[in-house]
Amino acid sequence: MIALSRPENVAGDFYVDTTCIDCDLCRQIAPETFSRAGDQSAVHSQPQNPEGEFAALKALVTCPTASIGDLGRHPARRAVEAYPELIDDEVYFCGFAAESSYGASSYLIVRPEGNVLVDSPRYTRPLAKRIAALGGVSRMFLTHQDDVADHKTWAGRFQAERIMHRDDIGRSHAGIENILSAFDPVRLDHDLTVIPTPGHTRGHMVLLYRDRYLFAGDHLRWSDSIQSLHASRDVCWYSWTEQIRSMERLLDYDFEWVLPGHGRRAHRTAGEMRQHLRDCITRMKSIDDSGLTIDD
Ligand code: SF4
């Protein structure tokens, strides 16, 4: 809303208002336009060309709080139709973040055995239509209790089986079809492994696809500021000690991509990822209960 436009925005068509919840998504999608100013985003440079405008519009449709405005009223249809957006091979970013999951990223895996939606985007008809065209959703993997957003609507739309850990089930998760209770890894299929990772929450889990893509929820993310993998003590709601143990168990697996709920993605070789994971564990062990903040 223009009346709430932040004074930190540079003049022009695009702006961020004071309802921004600092989820970081616009800065990931259109870094040429959006950056952090204080503890919220702002427009530091107006788009200079059609590509920049398209990226800013993708940020606008993804923003979980509708905090991005466009005085030029550029047509957003192409940006709406950009999602799900291919990241690599058959892995897509869904855009359309939900405020109830604090702007968490969600992903779609398109596979012949049935597509998997990892965590939940905001439910919108255009996105549902595009996902239907890609084969729909057979399973929804819910990493933990915070990032479930519109899971009921998505599951109902596609008759999808939702998978979640028992220890994160609350009132808003009634009807979850597949509730896991063990803390051992579970093979969902030949290419899908569920790895329980208690720490951020008690029932947090990550999903490994094809020993290549790690859907990490809020367990692990990439930090641009330290150029390495990072876990945040500040948002560890259950147990830091358990989160370190869960991180150590991940050393048993190969993966080349880290695709988090919050924070930056990363793509490195499996060997580089393992070294970054070791470094992350070393840093985690050096952090006491007073915590340490590392920005994206
Ligand atoms: S996407 Fe929206 S809520 Fe998230 S940082 Fe940008 S303006 Fe703020």
Side-chain angles (χ1 to χ4, degrees), residues 9-15 29-34 42-60 68-72 74:
N9 296 305
V10 297
D13 287 350
F14 288 91
Y15 64 90
I29 295 167
E32 309 80 8
T33 299
F34 301 98
V43 173
H44 69 89
S45 171
Q46 293 290 335
Q48 303 295 314
N49 51 43
E51 291 74 38
E53 213 171 87
F54 181 48
L57 287 168
K58 285 196 297 177
L60 184 150
I68 300 173
D70 169 22
L71 295 173
H74 298 89

Short mmCIF file of all heavy atoms in Angstrom, two decimals, residues 9-15 29-34 42-60 68-72 74:
data_model
loop_
_atom_site.label_atom_id
_atom_site.label_comp_id
_atom_site.label_asym_id
_atom_site.label_seq_id
_atom_site.Cartn_x
_atom_site.Cartn_y
_atom_site.Cartn_z
N ASN A 9 12.90 3.31 0.13
CA ASN A 9 12.78 2.98 -1.30
C ASN A 9 13.30 4.13 -2.16
O ASN A 9 13.04 5.31 -1.86
CB ASN A 9 11.30 2.78 -1.67
CG ASN A 9 10.66 1.60 -0.96
OD1 ASN A 9 11.18 0.49 -1.05
ND2 ASN A 9 9.56 1.83 -0.27
N VAL A 10 13.97 3.80 -3.27
CA VAL A 10 14.28 4.85 -4.24
C VAL A 10 13.01 5.15 -5.03
O VAL A 10 12.12 4.30 -5.16
CB VAL A 10 15.42 4.44 -5.21
CG1 VAL A 10 16.72 4.21 -4.45
CG2 VAL A 10 15.05 3.22 -6.04
N ALA A 11 12.90 6.34 -5.56
CA ALA A 11 11.68 6.75 -6.28
C ALA A 11 11.48 5.91 -7.54
O ALA A 11 12.45 5.50 -8.18
CB ALA A 11 11.78 8.23 -6.64
N GLY A 12 10.22 5.65 -7.87
CA GLY A 12 9.92 4.88 -9.08
C GLY A 12 8.68 4.03 -8.88
O GLY A 12 7.97 4.17 -7.88
N ASP A 13 8.43 3.15 -9.86
CA ASP A 13 7.19 2.35 -9.84
C ASP A 13 7.12 1.36 -8.68
O ASP A 13 6.08 1.18 -8.06
CB ASP A 13 7.06 1.58 -11.16
CG ASP A 13 6.68 2.50 -12.32
OD1 ASP A 13 6.35 3.68 -12.04
OD2 ASP A 13 6.75 2.04 -13.47
N PHE A 14 8.23 0.66 -8.42
CA PHE A 14 8.18 -0.41 -7.41
C PHE A 14 8.55 0.13 -6.03
O PHE A 14 9.43 1.00 -5.89
CB PHE A 14 9.12 -1.55 -7.78
CG PHE A 14 8.62 -2.37 -8.95
CD1 PHE A 14 8.97 -2.04 -10.25
CD2 PHE A 14 7.77 -3.45 -8.74
CE1 PHE A 14 8.49 -2.77 -11.33
CE2 PHE A 14 7.28 -4.20 -9.82
CZ PHE A 14 7.65 -3.85 -11.11
N TYR A 15 7.90 -0.38 -5.01
CA TYR A 15 8.22 0.01 -3.63
C TYR A 15 7.89 -1.15 -2.69
O TYR A 15 7.16 -2.09 -3.04
CB TYR A 15 7.44 1.26 -3.21
CG TYR A 15 5.94 1.07 -3.17
CD1 TYR A 15 5.31 0.65 -2.00
CD2 TYR A 15 5.15 1.28 -4.31
CE1 TYR A 15 3.93 0.45 -1.96
CE2 TYR A 15 3.78 1.08 -4.27
CZ TYR A 15 3.17 0.66 -3.09
OH TYR A 15 1.82 0.45 -3.06
N ILE A 29 14.95 -13.34 -5.34
CA ILE A 29 14.37 -13.40 -6.69
C ILE A 29 14.84 -12.24 -7.56
O ILE A 29 15.11 -12.42 -8.75
CB ILE A 29 12.81 -13.41 -6.58
CG1 ILE A 29 12.35 -14.69 -5.89
CG2 ILE A 29 12.17 -13.27 -7.95
CD1 ILE A 29 10.90 -14.67 -5.45
N ALA A 30 14.93 -11.04 -6.99
CA ALA A 30 15.29 -9.85 -7.76
C ALA A 30 16.32 -9.01 -6.99
O ALA A 30 16.02 -7.89 -6.55
CB ALA A 30 14.03 -9.04 -8.08
N PRO A 31 17.53 -9.53 -6.83
CA PRO A 31 18.53 -8.80 -6.03
C PRO A 31 18.95 -7.47 -6.65
O PRO A 31 19.45 -6.60 -5.95
CB PRO A 31 19.71 -9.79 -5.95
CG PRO A 31 19.51 -10.74 -7.08
CD PRO A 31 18.04 -10.82 -7.33
N GLU A 32 18.73 -7.31 -7.97
CA GLU A 32 19.09 -6.03 -8.59
C GLU A 32 18.14 -4.92 -8.14
O GLU A 32 18.47 -3.74 -8.26
CB GLU A 32 19.02 -6.14 -10.13
CG GLU A 32 19.78 -7.30 -10.75
CD GLU A 32 19.01 -8.62 -10.67
OE1 GLU A 32 17.82 -8.60 -10.27
OE2 GLU A 32 19.61 -9.67 -10.99
N THR A 33 16.96 -5.31 -7.67
CA THR A 33 15.94 -4.31 -7.28
C THR A 33 15.79 -4.18 -5.77
O THR A 33 15.66 -3.08 -5.24
CB THR A 33 14.57 -4.71 -7.91
OG1 THR A 33 14.72 -4.69 -9.33
CG2 THR A 33 13.46 -3.75 -7.49
N PHE A 34 15.79 -5.34 -5.07
CA PHE A 34 15.49 -5.32 -3.64
C PHE A 34 16.73 -5.64 -2.81
O PHE A 34 17.54 -6.50 -3.17
CB PHE A 34 14.40 -6.37 -3.32
CG PHE A 34 13.12 -6.14 -4.07
CD1 PHE A 34 12.85 -6.85 -5.24
CD2 PHE A 34 12.18 -5.21 -3.63
CE1 PHE A 34 11.68 -6.65 -5.95
CE2 PHE A 34 11.00 -5.00 -4.34
CZ PHE A 34 10.74 -5.72 -5.50
N ALA A 42 13.73 -3.12 0.90
CA ALA A 42 13.41 -1.85 0.24
C ALA A 42 13.90 -1.95 -1.21
O ALA A 42 14.71 -2.82 -1.55
CB ALA A 42 14.08 -0.69 0.96
N VAL A 43 13.39 -1.06 -2.05
CA VAL A 43 13.86 -0.99 -3.44
C VAL A 43 15.09 -0.09 -3.46
O VAL A 43 15.00 1.10 -3.17
CB VAL A 43 12.75 -0.43 -4.35
CG1 VAL A 43 13.29 -0.19 -5.76
CG2 VAL A 43 11.57 -1.39 -4.40
N HIS A 44 16.24 -0.69 -3.80
CA HIS A 44 17.47 0.12 -3.84
C HIS A 44 17.76 0.60 -5.25
O HIS A 44 18.52 1.55 -5.46
CB HIS A 44 18.66 -0.67 -3.28
CG HIS A 44 19.08 -1.82 -4.15
ND1 HIS A 44 19.99 -1.68 -5.16
CD2 HIS A 44 18.69 -3.12 -4.17
CE1 HIS A 44 20.16 -2.85 -5.75
NE2 HIS A 44 19.38 -3.74 -5.18
N SER A 45 17.12 -0.06 -6.26
CA SER A 45 17.30 0.37 -7.65
C SER A 45 16.07 -0.08 -8.44
O SER A 45 15.69 -1.26 -8.35
CB SER A 45 18.58 -0.26 -8.22
OG SER A 45 18.66 -0.03 -9.59
N GLN A 46 15.45 0.82 -9.15
CA GLN A 46 14.28 0.44 -9.95
C GLN A 46 14.75 -0.43 -11.13
O GLN A 46 15.88 -0.26 -11.62
CB GLN A 46 13.57 1.69 -10.47
CG GLN A 46 12.93 2.53 -9.39
CD GLN A 46 11.70 1.84 -8.75
OE1 GLN A 46 11.06 1.00 -9.37
NE2 GLN A 46 11.41 2.20 -7.49
N PRO A 47 13.91 -1.38 -11.58
CA PRO A 47 14.30 -2.22 -12.72
C PRO A 47 14.70 -1.37 -13.93
O PRO A 47 14.04 -0.38 -14.24
CB PRO A 47 13.02 -3.03 -13.01
CG PRO A 47 12.25 -3.02 -11.73
CD PRO A 47 12.57 -1.72 -11.06
N GLN A 48 15.78 -1.81 -14.57
CA GLN A 48 16.35 -1.03 -15.67
C GLN A 48 15.98 -1.57 -17.05
O GLN A 48 16.25 -0.93 -18.06
CB GLN A 48 17.89 -1.02 -15.57
CG GLN A 48 18.43 -0.49 -14.25
CD GLN A 48 18.09 0.98 -14.07
OE1 GLN A 48 18.26 1.77 -14.98
NE2 GLN A 48 17.57 1.33 -12.89
N ASN A 49 15.42 -2.77 -17.09
CA ASN A 49 15.12 -3.39 -18.38
C ASN A 49 13.99 -4.42 -18.19
O ASN A 49 13.58 -4.67 -17.03
CB ASN A 49 16.39 -4.07 -18.94
CG ASN A 49 17.02 -4.98 -17.89
OD1 ASN A 49 16.31 -5.71 -17.19
ND2 ASN A 49 18.34 -4.93 -17.75
N PRO A 50 13.47 -5.00 -19.26
CA PRO A 50 12.34 -5.94 -19.13
C PRO A 50 12.66 -7.14 -18.22
O PRO A 50 11.79 -7.60 -17.48
CB PRO A 50 12.09 -6.40 -20.57
CG PRO A 50 12.60 -5.28 -21.42
CD PRO A 50 13.77 -4.70 -20.68
N GLU A 51 13.92 -7.63 -18.25
CA GLU A 51 14.27 -8.77 -17.39
C GLU A 51 14.18 -8.38 -15.92
O GLU A 51 13.67 -9.14 -15.08
CB GLU A 51 15.70 -9.27 -17.69
CG GLU A 51 15.90 -9.94 -19.04
CD GLU A 51 15.89 -8.93 -20.19
OE1 GLU A 51 16.44 -7.81 -20.02
OE2 GLU A 51 15.35 -9.24 -21.25
N GLY A 52 14.66 -7.17 -15.62
CA GLY A 52 14.62 -6.69 -14.24
C GLY A 52 13.18 -6.48 -13.78
O GLY A 52 12.83 -6.76 -12.63
N GLU A 53 12.36 -6.00 -14.69
CA GLU A 53 10.94 -5.79 -14.39
C GLU A 53 10.24 -7.13 -14.12
O GLU A 53 9.44 -7.24 -13.19
CB GLU A 53 10.31 -5.13 -15.61
CG GLU A 53 9.21 -4.17 -15.31
CD GLU A 53 8.87 -3.45 -16.61
OE1 GLU A 53 8.03 -3.98 -17.39
OE2 GLU A 53 9.45 -2.39 -16.84
N PHE A 54 10.56 -8.12 -14.95
CA PHE A 54 9.97 -9.46 -14.79
C PHE A 54 10.37 -10.04 -13.43
O PHE A 54 9.53 -10.59 -12.70
CB PHE A 54 10.44 -10.35 -15.94
CG PHE A 54 9.90 -11.75 -15.92
CD1 PHE A 54 8.54 -11.99 -15.72
CD2 PHE A 54 10.75 -12.83 -16.11
CE1 PHE A 54 8.04 -13.29 -15.72
CE2 PHE A 54 10.26 -14.14 -16.10
CZ PHE A 54 8.90 -14.36 -15.90
N ALA A 55 11.64 -9.89 -13.06
CA ALA A 55 12.10 -10.42 -11.76
C ALA A 55 11.38 -9.70 -10.62
O ALA A 55 10.94 -10.33 -9.63
CB ALA A 55 13.61 -10.25 -11.63
N ALA A 56 11.22 -8.38 -10.73
CA ALA A 56 10.52 -7.63 -9.67
C ALA A 56 9.07 -8.07 -9.56
O ALA A 56 8.52 -8.19 -8.46
CB ALA A 56 10.61 -6.12 -9.96
N LEU A 57 8.45 -8.37 -10.70
CA LEU A 57 7.05 -8.84 -10.67
C LEU A 57 6.95 -10.25 -10.08
O LEU A 57 5.99 -10.58 -9.38
CB LEU A 57 6.46 -8.80 -12.08
CG LEU A 57 6.16 -7.39 -12.61
CD1 LEU A 57 5.87 -7.42 -14.10
CD2 LEU A 57 4.99 -6.77 -11.86
N LYS A 58 7.96 -11.09 -10.34
CA LYS A 58 7.95 -12.43 -9.70
C LYS A 58 8.07 -12.28 -8.18
O LYS A 58 7.42 -13.00 -7.43
CB LYS A 58 9.10 -13.29 -10.25
CG LYS A 58 8.84 -13.80 -11.65
CD LYS A 58 9.77 -14.94 -12.04
CE LYS A 58 11.19 -14.51 -12.07
NZ LYS A 58 12.13 -15.59 -12.36
N ALA A 59 8.89 -11.32 -7.74
CA ALA A 59 8.99 -11.06 -6.30
C ALA A 59 7.65 -10.58 -5.76
O ALA A 59 7.21 -11.00 -4.68
CB ALA A 59 10.08 -10.03 -6.03
N LEU A 60 6.99 -9.71 -6.54
CA LEU A 60 5.69 -9.17 -6.11
C LEU A 60 4.66 -10.29 -5.91
O LEU A 60 3.96 -10.32 -4.90
CB LEU A 60 5.22 -8.15 -7.15
CG LEU A 60 3.93 -7.38 -6.89
CD1 LEU A 60 4.00 -6.01 -7.56
CD2 LEU A 60 2.71 -8.13 -7.42
N ILE A 68 4.86 -5.62 -1.56
CA ILE A 68 5.50 -4.97 -2.71
C ILE A 68 4.42 -4.34 -3.58
O ILE A 68 3.43 -5.00 -3.93
CB ILE A 68 6.33 -5.98 -3.53
CG1 ILE A 68 7.43 -6.58 -2.65
CG2 ILE A 68 6.92 -5.32 -4.78
CD1 ILE A 68 8.19 -7.72 -3.30
N GLY A 69 4.61 -3.07 -3.89
CA GLY A 69 3.65 -2.37 -4.73
C GLY A 69 4.27 -1.98 -6.05
O GLY A 69 5.50 -1.91 -6.19
N ASP A 70 3.39 -1.72 -7.04
CA ASP A 70 3.84 -1.34 -8.38
C ASP A 70 2.94 -0.22 -8.90
O ASP A 70 1.81 -0.48 -9.33
CB ASP A 70 3.77 -2.58 -9.30
CG ASP A 70 3.97 -2.21 -10.77
OD1 ASP A 70 4.55 -1.14 -11.04
OD2 ASP A 70 3.52 -2.99 -11.63
N LEU A 71 3.43 1.00 -8.82
CA LEU A 71 2.62 2.16 -9.26
C LEU A 71 2.42 2.16 -10.77
O LEU A 71 1.48 2.75 -11.27
CB LEU A 71 3.31 3.45 -8.83
CG LEU A 71 3.41 3.67 -7.31
CD1 LEU A 71 4.27 4.89 -7.00
CD2 LEU A 71 2.04 3.81 -6.70
N GLY A 72 3.33 1.49 -11.48
CA GLY A 72 3.23 1.44 -12.94
C GLY A 72 2.22 0.42 -13.42
O GLY A 72 1.91 0.34 -14.59
N HIS A 74 2.42 -2.73 -13.96
CA HIS A 74 2.91 -3.58 -15.04
C HIS A 74 2.10 -4.88 -15.04
O HIS A 74 1.74 -5.38 -13.98
CB HIS A 74 4.39 -3.92 -14.81
CG HIS A 74 5.27 -2.71 -14.81
ND1 HIS A 74 5.55 -1.99 -13.68
CD2 HIS A 74 5.93 -2.11 -15.82
CE1 HIS A 74 6.34 -0.98 -13.99
NE2 HIS A 74 6.60 -1.03 -15.28
#
